[in-house]
Every structure is written in C-alpha cells, then in structure tokens.
Amino acid sequence: MIKRSHIRQFLAVVETGSFTQAAGRIRVTQPTLSAGIADLERMVGSRLFVRDRRHVRLTEAGGRFLPLARELDRNFRAVDGFGASAQTDWPALKLGVIRSVAAPLLEAVLAGLGEAFSIELVEGTDSELRASLASGRVDMMLGLLRDEDDGAIPLISEPYVLFVPSSHRLAGQAVVEPETLGSEVMIARRSCELLDRTSTFFTRLHVRPRFSLRSESEERCMAMVAAGLGITTAPLSHRREGIEPVELEGYDFTRTLGLRADPAWLTDERAEACRTVAADIAERFAAKAR
C-alpha cells in the first residue's frame, strides 16, 4: 500500500533533483529515502527516476506519476485539516514571494490581497517557489513570469537599471557606459536573479569594481546606496528617496513580475479578487515609472 511517506519522499526528490538534498529536506537518512523510493517503484511496477552521479531525473513513468502524487499530497493535507474550526483555518492564502521583490510592490500586493485573505508569506528563489507551488506547499507565488506560464496574472514589467546616490556624479545622466565604472565602489545584491549574468556582463567588459557590501537584504542594499556606500544594479521598482536610476548601456535586461496560483486553490471568486488587485497595482506602478 502506498503510504504518505512514499509520496513525501517522491515529491522531495522531484523538487530538489537530489536524493541527498531530498533526505535533508524531509529529515530522513539517505538510505531510508532510497529504500522508500525503491519500495514505491516496486508498488507502481515502474522505475520512477533515472540516477547517475550528477543528476536525478524523472522517467516517462515518473512523469505520469507526478500529477497523481501531487493530488495525493493535496488530499493528505486536506485530511489533516478536516474538521478544523473556522478559528484555526489560517492562513487563507500561503503566498510565496521571491526575495528580489521591491518593498513598495510587496506592500501594495499585501494591502490588496489582505482585504480578501489572511496571508502567510513564504520567501524563496523563483525555482524554489515554483516547486512549492507545484507540490501545493504554497497557494500562490509572486515571482518572475515566463512566456509559458499559462493563467498567470501580470503585475509589472520593468527594466534593470543602475542606481546611484542622488548626489553622485552620474545622477541625472541619461545613459552611462559600463567601462566608466571601473573606479566605482559597488554593492552586490545577493538575492538578485541576474547576479551571475551581471557578473559576466562586467567581466566581459573588463570592469572589476570594488565591493563595499554583499547582502541578501534588498532593503539594506538600497539603503546603503542612498547612504553613499556604493552603487548597484536593480529592477526599476527599487527606486526610493535618495537614489536615482540611470540607464546602463548594453545592460538590456527586463523582468515581468506577476501572480501564479495552484488551480485547485484559484476559484472564480478568488481569481477575481487577485485580478482586481493586479489591475490596481499595474496602474499605480506604471504611473510611477513615467
């Protein structure tokens, strides 16, 4: 008989792509996890994973089993909550948020959605939250939208720019050539989804600035730019008092942020509430960008 532990083990391997990481996530030993997966494969009569030294990926049978496993996981969680009183039915919305969302945008999203739902925030990278959404660990995520994301609710599209203090020599310039930044002190936003590509961009142009701060905190990074500690690249929505956005020549990156939800959670009524919030935010932030 397939047990809940089998489903948890299977989904953990799918989400992490690693038996070692999956074992750590669900707090079992790797031999226990491997034995559980082998037991599950015997019960379904097919190999579910292809393993080699560096990768773990689903077989064709594993791909067919994945939606069934997700549905079973949702049903197990529904049984856990069965009979819970309205007072303990919290939160109404588990919202995953990528760490690079600017505080003003997140505040606007929470203010809007908070009128309709009690909310628990779950932070993570875009890939981590996509896995959490697929497994039902979050109901909705605020993150990067891709062309293939059907049914997503767009919020804003924005460019990445160079931010400098308002008193900086580059403030007010329309476009800055990256080669002129070699003598500048910079701040590294460790939560940025473009961190590797930004490093490659500057390295290709032989620009190797000094760094005064490397931080996971978006708010601290932008506050330190305003304080004059250094300059940084960031999405335009990170604009705040005391700093100025400048276009960086050749740094032609953009992103679209939006909401994606578990179809099982997104009823017609909930979808309408989310679209109303999204329309309001899109209008407000479009006006700010002008």
Side-chain angles (χ1 to χ4, degrees), residues 7 14 25 35 37 56 84 170 192 210 227 272 283:
I7 300 302
V14 171
R25 171 178 289 191
I37 294 298
V56 176
L170 298 176
C192 182
R210 296 162 291 169
E272 184 59 30
E283 182 178 350

Side-chain angles (χ1 to χ4, degrees), residues 3 9 13 19 63 90 105 120 134 139 156-157 161 164 167 194 198 220 223 228 234 238 244 248 266 270 272:
K3 301 177 182 178
Q9 292 164 349
V13 176
F19 273 62
W90 184 93
L105 176 59
E120 177 187 348
D139 305 309
I156 64 170
S157 294
V161 297
V164 301
S167 59
L194 288 185
T198 298
R220 178 168 297 175
H238 282 275
E244 298 292 333
L248 187 59
L266 197 62
R270 288 167 169 171
E272 184 59 30

